Each structure stands twice: as C-alpha cells, then as structure tokens.
Amino acid sequence: FQRVEAEAAPAHRVVELLDAAVLEYSCGRKLFCALLVAPHILDSGARRRHELLGEYRAMAAALRTESVGFLWAEAGAQLEIEGALGLADGAFAF
C-alpha cells in the first residue's frame, strides 16, 4: 500500500510560514512537518535564498507521501517557533 500511495501522491507544495493559519493548513493533519529556516535575504543574498528553496522543493518533490507537510521561514521572522526548536540567538551557520 505504501508504494501505491507514494506513486499516487501529488507533489508537495512548499509554503512560507507566515502565521498559525499557514502552519495549520500545511501541517495540521500531517504526521510530520518539515521546516526550512532560511537565512535572511540580506545575510545570504537572493541567489543563495533561491538555491536553498530550490533544493528544499526538490527534496519535497522527491518525497511523495501525504504524511509530511513542508514549510519554510526566514530566520528571525518566526522567533517563537525558532526558540521552541532551539534555533534562536543566531544558531545558524550559512
């Protein structure tokens, strides 16, 4: 059954985490929620941001299962979530 699900599942949509409604929409009924915290565009530049998001979208597309939601957020934009995940206070190395 898993093989059929993987082949039949649509490609994932990677959504920017802007608020609780987006979190609920993307991950509310999923078993797992993947979150990419990308560096601020002024820290890494637009080119690097697009590269990271492209790699993340490719990973999401390769994992064709309904049990995972995919989100991304800019570093510093969702401090409460970053703190809960232990990513606050500049714990990024890009």
Side-chain angles (χ1 to χ4, degrees), residues 12-18 22-23 25-26 34-35 56-57 70-73:
H12 290 287
R13 190 165 164 233
V14 176
V15 181
E16 183 176 5
L17 177 57
L18 299 173
V22 173
L23 179 63
Y25 170 79
S26 296
L35 173 65
Y56 190 59
R57 286 184 180 108
F70 288 86
L71 296 167
W72 75 276

Side-chain angles (χ1 to χ4, degrees), residues 3 9-11 14 19 22 28 33 38 44 46 54 64-65 68 70-71 74 80 84 90:
R3 184 178 215 167
V14 176
D19 56 32
V22 173
C33 188
S44 65
R64 292 175 82 80
T65 177
V68 182
F70 288 86
L71 296 167
E74 180 178 86
E80 189 174 331

